[in-house]
Amino acid sequence: MDREWGSKPGSGGAASAQTEAMDRRERLRRLALETIDLAKDPYFMRNHLGSYECKLCLTLHNNEGNYLAHTQGKRHQTNLAKRAAREAKEAPAQPQPHKRKVSVRKSVKIGRPGYRVTKQYDPETKQRSLLFQIEYPEIEDNIKPRHRVMSSYEQRVQPFDRRYQYLLFAAEPYEIIAFKVPSTEIDKSTPKFFSHWDPDSKMFTLQVYFKTKPLEANKPQPPAAANGTAAPGAPPRPLPPPPPPPQGLPNPPRAPPHLVPGSLPPPPPPMGNGPRPMPPGGTPIAPPPPPGGNGTMANFTPRPPTNYPPQGFPGQQMQGQGMHLPPPPPNMGQ
């Protein structure tokens, strides 16, 4: 290439304005492909011919890079500004939600106020009450003390305990103080529940009455359990009286049979599963004959008597069989 273009030997000619514009669009296209998601563009559309259209500017593009280069151009940006201005003009003016601004006071606390608590009891209604008297001698001007009842689950100072609640008092510039009271429903009727602020003596008074709980005696007793045992905590049930003795028996018990002198007592009844007892003579008793007839026991043949093993100790067995005892061993000491 000649030197008239102002380039060095071997480096090629200088780029024209058209070449620089093409290079700039290519760089913008690559950058847009990395940073812009076409799926979220409301004006990007692909037609049935395979090319791409801009629904805002009504232009055709051969590829995605060409469309992205168009979105960075002046025509597309101008149409976007016109569309936004028209929509803002046509849209009705909606009232803005009113947000209440709460100003947080940052005052220096001077300590806790003095207080006095009095316990009271009403004998007529049997209600217990508390009278709180809080002194605020250094309270700010035009400030009235406030109070509220807080549940045990709202505070974060002590562990949760459903048996108690907290009564809070606050007034600037004093610290907030709280009293731990029983978690009983407060009677908020007019003559019993009242608060008063005396600006002259700088004392705040609050009286709280608690509602009475139902008496334990008026509560119904728990029913007995299904197996007859009483519920836990209930008194034991009295035992039923014993049944009366029978007045008369239909079959009075028989007297034992009278034994004749010299006769033997009746034999004992047979045992359930073991052998029959041996008679005093040592001879076993023959089994009774089977019943006759044409039934299943007609061909029954009685078995000969069996000599059962002797009963008792060895000395008694030998005496029962007529045998003599062996002579005692000689005296080894003689």
Side-chain angles (χ1 to χ4, degrees):
M1 183 176 292
D2 298 337
R3 298 287 301 274
E4 60 185 4
W5 297 101
S7 60
K8 295 181 179 181
S11 61
S16 62
Q18 183 180 3
T19 307
E20 292 179 358
M22 292 175 59
D23 184 64
R24 183 178 63 255
R25 286 195 297 266
E26 182 64 21
R27 284 188 288 105
L28 292 176
R29 184 186 67 84
R30 290 196 299 266
L31 180 62
L33 286 176
E34 296 176 359
T35 58
I36 299 177
D37 187 7
L38 292 177
K40 298 180 181 179
D41 192 346
Y43 305 112
F44 177 75
M45 183 184 69
R46 183 174 182 177
N47 57 20
H48 63 285
L49 300 177
S51 58
Y52 303 95
E53 297 182 10
C54 177
K55 295 190 292 183
L56 179 62
C57 305
L58 303 178
T59 55
L60 293 176
H61 306 277
N62 296 329
N63 50 41
E64 296 179 354
N66 193 358
Y67 173 80
L68 291 175
H70 163 73
T71 58
Q72 306 298 326
K74 182 178 179 180
R75 180 180 180 182
H76 189 83
Q77 296 297 329
T78 303
N79 291 336
L80 284 177
K82 291 181 180 180
R83 173 65 66 88
R86 185 170 65 252
E87 291 180 353
K89 184 178 180 179
E90 295 177 356
Q94 297 181 357
Q96 296 294 333
H98 177 68
K99 296 182 179 179
R100 184 181 178 183
K101 296 182 179 179
V102 180
S103 59
V104 180
R105 302 188 60 179
K106 297 181 180 180
S107 58
V108 179
K109 303 296 182 180
I110 62 175
R112 299 177 183 176
Y115 59 87
R116 181 166 50 252
V117 181
T118 305
K119 298 181 180 180
Q120 303 175 134
Y121 178 74
D122 190 351
E124 296 181 0
T125 59
K126 298 182 179 180
Q127 287 181 292
R128 302 182 183 275
S129 63
L130 294 174
L131 180 65
F132 298 92
Q133 294 175 326
I134 316 297
E135 297 178 356
Y136 295 102
E138 302 294 335
I139 190 172
E140 295 182 358
D141 297 338
N142 302 325
I143 294 296
K144 184 179 179 179
R146 296 170 297 169
H147 70 279
R148 64 161 294 195
V149 178
M150 178 182 289
S151 171
S152 176
Y153 298 96
E154 297 182 58
Q155 54 88 27
R156 296 292 182 269
V157 179
Q158 296 184 356
F160 304 144
D161 194 347
R162 58 183 302 181
R163 298 176 299 174
Y164 299 99
Q165 57 187 348
Y166 297 86
L167 188 60
L168 278 66
F169 296 89
E172 295 292 342
Y174 291 91
E175 297 180 0
I176 300 176
I177 60 174
F179 297 90
K180 191 174 181 179
V181 298
S183 182
T184 308
E185 185 178 359
I186 297 176
D187 189 357
K188 295 187 178 181
S189 56
T190 303
K192 297 180 179 180
F193 182 84
F194 73 89
S195 62
H196 175 68
W197 165 243
D198 188 356
D200 298 331
S201 61
K202 306 293 185 180
M203 179 176 292
F204 181 73
T205 306
L206 176 68
Q207 180 174 273
V208 177
Y209 267 78
F210 299 98
K211 292 186 177 181
T212 57
K213 296 182 179 180
L215 299 178
E216 299 294 336
N218 298 335
K219 292 185 178 181
Q221 295 293 338
N227 55 359
T229 59
R237 299 176 60 182
L239 298 177
Q247 300 296 333
L249 295 177
N251 298 324
R254 299 179 181 179
H258 180 69
L259 298 178
V260 180
S263 62
L264 297 176
M271 300 177 64
N273 298 326
R276 293 185 178 89
M278 186 72 68
T283 304
I285 303 176
N294 298 328
T296 56
M297 302 295 291
N299 300 328
F300 176 76
T301 303
R303 189 173 57 180
T306 305
N307 295 328
Y308 293 99
Q311 304 289 334
F313 296 101
Q316 298 177 357
Q317 297 172 3
M318 295 180 181
Q319 293 178 4
Q321 297 179 3
M323 300 179 63
H324 300 282
L325 294 174
N331 192 357
M332 300 298 296
Q334 296 178 357

